[in-house]
Amino acid sequence: MNTVTVFGSCNMDLVAYVPVAPRSGETVHGRAFRTVPGGKGANQAIAAAKAGATTRFVGSVGTDGFGEQIRDTLAGTGVDTAGLRTVEGNSGTAHIVVDDEGANSIVVVAGANASTDRIDGEAEGLIASSSCLLMQLETPLEGVEAAAEAAAAHGVRVVLTPAPAEPLPESLLSKVDLLVPNEHEAAVLTGQEDPELAVEALLHSVEEVVITLGERGVLYGNRTGKRLRVPAFPVRAVDTTAAGDTFVGALGAALAGEESVERALREGSAAAALSIGREGASSSMPSAAEIREFLENDAN
């Protein structure tokens, strides 16, 4: 059953491209502007669907035009939106500045995402019939915990991206099978700046950990003592906005398809590499065929 359910946030990304990001109090000229549906939850759902998994999304949009665009984009990429509620008010937005080095800074306004603080019977049914549940922390923690509890009750693998980083209760971590922080988030959770020490610390709370290290690749560890390092694929960065979400979505799709951890990490890394070579968030994510071709070319 190659099925992924994503519980989380969806935003409209308002993206300005600039040669150099402005400092505090500074105004700069931009070279382009785009509106692209995003949010960590929607990004992971689109990445998983493009990577070949049957994908459902559980979240909330507002009654504004952005909400309609977000829903249409998810559906247009093959994501089942039966679990996407519409609530009165504005949809979530992310205000993003991307410089010519591909680096970005982001301000997120929760909007309708703030109402994703629980699950109903329909959402629980979607989670229960999945191979894998992907979650993040751009929605209220109460909802994340409820979704994790439902997944645990039905034997569904729980993958959590702890972003934005914040201390997490053991009641949540005890239900997480795989934690996927970046190195900054891992340091916030553990107090350890060294990723290898952070992995060891996190394995006291969860069964498996993947720490993403940007251009240094990813570091994996589990409680049985297995450790893996997968180097990043060398590509020219154009826009890194959704690289982490692309990695997690493709990773989740591979794990739901019962790929080995090694293969899943490579597929996630390949998807992330392809995405940062393109502008945009969800629009930059590769298809399953593109991921396979990329890995085949790398092997030759």
Side-chain angles (χ1 to χ4, degrees):
M1 181 174 61
N2 184 12
T3 305
V4 173
T5 294
V6 180
F7 178 92
S9 61
C10 51
N11 301 319
M12 182 59 72
D13 291 349
L14 311 175
V15 189
Y17 294 92
V18 298
V20 179
R23 296 168 296 181
S24 178
E26 182 182 18
T27 300
V28 301
H29 288 287
R31 59 177 175 80
F33 174 77
R34 292 183 180 175
T35 57
V36 184
K40 297 191 74 65
N43 285 343
Q44 290 182 6
I46 292 170
K50 286 188 172 182
T54 298
T55 307
R56 298 87 164 262
F57 184 74
V58 177
S60 306
V61 292
T63 49
D64 54 5
F66 287 161
E68 294 179 11
Q69 292 178 57
I70 293 166
R71 186 182 293 277
D72 289 346
T73 297
L74 286 165
T77 54
V79 177
D80 183 339
T81 60
L84 181 59
R85 297 184 303 135
T86 299
V87 299
E88 191 66 33
N90 294 325
S91 299
T93 53
H95 307 257
I96 304 172
V97 175
V98 180
D99 67 23
D100 281 351
E101 299 299 315
N104 64 75
S105 57
I106 307 173
V107 176
V108 176
V109 181
N113 292 309
S115 69
T116 309
D117 58 357
R118 62 193 183 281
I119 61 169
D120 57 19
E122 182 176 18
E124 182 169 358
L126 293 172
I127 293 169
S129 59
S130 301
S131 308
C132 186
L133 172 67
L134 304 184
M135 302 189 298
Q136 327 76 40
L137 299 177
E138 288 185 336
T139 54
L141 196 60
E142 299 92 330
V144 175
E145 290 196 84
E149 186 172 343
H154 294 283
V156 176
R157 187 175 195 158
V158 177
V159 179
L160 175 64
T161 303
E166 61 178 275
L168 296 174
E170 285 298 320
S171 59
L172 171 59
L173 290 172
S174 65
K175 297 178 180 65
V176 172
D177 297 294
L178 174 60
L179 192 70
V180 191
N182 63 25
E183 54 188 319
H184 165 70
E185 293 151 3
V188 170
L189 292 174
T190 66
Q192 298 286 352
E193 297 292 336
D194 183 329
E196 294 193 9
L197 294 178
V199 166
E200 299 301 326
L202 290 168
L203 287 174
H204 291 293
S205 298
V206 299
E207 293 287 338
E208 299 177 277
V209 175
V210 176
I211 298 181
T212 59
L213 305 170
E215 62 185 16
R216 305 196 319 279
V218 300
L219 175 63
Y220 168 86
N222 68 19
R223 283 182 175 173
T224 67
K226 188 170 190 174
R227 302 291 183 270
L228 294 170
R229 273 192 177 270
V230 177
F233 295 99
V235 292
R236 178 183 172 273
V238 173
D239 184 352
T240 61
T241 301
D245 296 330
T246 303
F247 172 81
V248 174
L251 174 72
L255 293 174
E258 300 185 349
E259 298 280 4
S260 68
V261 169
E262 293 92 334
R263 177 69 185 185
L265 291 171
R266 281 181 55 79
E267 289 190 16
S269 297
L274 287 164
S275 76
I276 67 174
R278 308 166 178 171
E279 290 185 348
S282 57
S283 58
S284 72
M285 296 169 180
S287 66
E290 288 174 317
I291 294 170
R292 285 195 301 271
E293 181 181 7
F294 184 91
L295 289 172
E296 287 168 3
N297 289 339
D298 180 70
N300 295 329

